[in-house]
Structure formats: structure tokens, C-alpha cells
Amino acid sequence: GMFKLLISTLLFLVSATCFADRVEKIVVFQTDDTVVARDLSIVNKHIPVEVYSIDALKKAEKAIDREVQKRIPVVASNGKTPLEKFQIGFSDLLNSKDWGPINVQMEDAGDAIEFVARYKVKKIPAIVFNDKSIVYGVRSLSEAMRVFNQHGGQ
């Protein structure tokens, strides 16, 4: 009767709170200097992890600049302004096989910036759990998981 109902209600509450804290998704924001170790335990191996590099934009810009400079023809660039020279080189880059990988880098950079804004990330490294709780300053997923399980992130 009443006792059995009470026990089943308690069990339900316990399982509900366990379920609420279950990690469904992890998003990592890092730089080349603050790489977060992907050291999840076997138990948590199934959790999808997305990683965004904040250095992606700088890398894409450097790659574009390097490729454009290589493509500016010395003869054709005599008497041209730096902008005109850049346009010649950039046009050549756009029509080359080298553009594909750089374009991918730029898309990755755009995604990183978009998600930093969406999650309101304040510091790097940042590890976002379930699109809402953020753990800052931790350099491994296992440590971030421990912090999240104790405090629920920020």
C-alpha cells in the first residue's frame, strides 16, 4: 500500500536525478596552447564530443596570406597598389585546388566563433556539458567530468 508507493516514488526521484545529470553531449573550446585531453573513461566513451579551435581563424588568415603572396606574379604586379596585387593573387587562389582546404579552415573558424557566442564562453579552455553547463580552465575531459558531476559546472 502506502509504504510500497513511497518506495517506488523515492526510486523514481533517484533515477530522475541520475538521468538529469547524465551527459548527453560535450563541446570543447581550446587553443593550440590549451589542448584538452580526450581522456574519457570507457563508461563515457559513447558521449559525442565536438572540439572547436579558437586558433582556426588566425590559421586560415595566415594560410590565405601565404598562398596569395605566392601567387602574385612579379611582372604583372609592377606599378600596382598592394590591394590590386592582393586581388590578383587572391583571384588566382580562389580558382586553384588549394582553395578547398583553406575554405574548410574558414568554415571551421566561423563555427568556433558562432559557438563561442552562442554558449557565452568567457575563457579558454572551456568544456560545455549538455549545451548549458560550462567548466573552465580544465585541461582534460575526465577532470571536467569530475567537476561537472560535483558542481554541475557554471
Side-chain angles (χ1 to χ4, degrees):
M2 194 63 191
F3 183 69
K4 203 181 224 176
L5 182 68
L6 186 66
I7 293 293
S8 62
T9 306
L10 279 175
L11 284 173
F12 171 76
L13 285 174
V14 168
S15 65
T17 53
C18 289
F19 183 73
D21 268 341
R22 204 171 77 196
V23 176
E24 305 288 340
K25 178 182 168 192
I26 299 173
V27 181
V28 175
F29 295 94
Q30 63 186 22
T31 64
D32 290 350
D33 298 329
T34 60
V35 173
V36 174
R38 308 265 301 265
D39 60 348
L40 287 179
S41 65
I42 300 302
V43 180
N44 297 315
K45 276 279 187 256
H46 66 280
I47 300 169
V49 178
E50 292 172 26
V51 179
Y52 294 98
S53 170
I54 303 307
D55 297 331
L57 189 61
K58 271 188 289 193
K59 283 184 183 163
E61 284 172 356
K62 277 186 183 150
I64 288 172
D65 201 46
R66 191 175 55 243
E67 291 297 327
V68 166
Q69 294 307 322
K70 277 194 329 202
R71 288 175 160 74
I72 299 172
V74 179
V75 180
S77 64
N78 283 344
K80 296 234 183 334
T81 66
L83 180 61
E84 289 170 330
K85 290 179 187 179
F86 185 88
Q87 286 169 333
I88 292 167
F90 189 66
S91 175
D92 190 57
L93 172 59
L94 281 177
N95 295 309
S96 76
K97 62 173 177 32
D98 297 319
W99 177 246
I102 291 174
N103 194 33
V104 168
Q105 273 186 305
M106 286 175 55
E107 286 173 5
D108 290 347
D111 289 346
I113 292 164
E114 181 189 329
F115 286 114
V116 159
R118 184 184 299 174
Y119 292 122
K120 298 176 173 62
V121 171
K122 294 174 182 64
K123 291 184 293 209
I124 304 293
I127 297 148
V128 183
F129 290 91
N130 300 338
D131 292 332
K132 51 185 185 289
S133 299
I134 307 179
V135 175
Y136 289 107
V138 172
R139 300 286 284 273
S140 86
L141 287 184
S142 59
E143 176 66 9
M145 188 75 88
R146 195 183 61 72
V147 172
F148 172 74
N149 287 329
Q150 279 181 347
H151 311 290
Q154 284 175 213

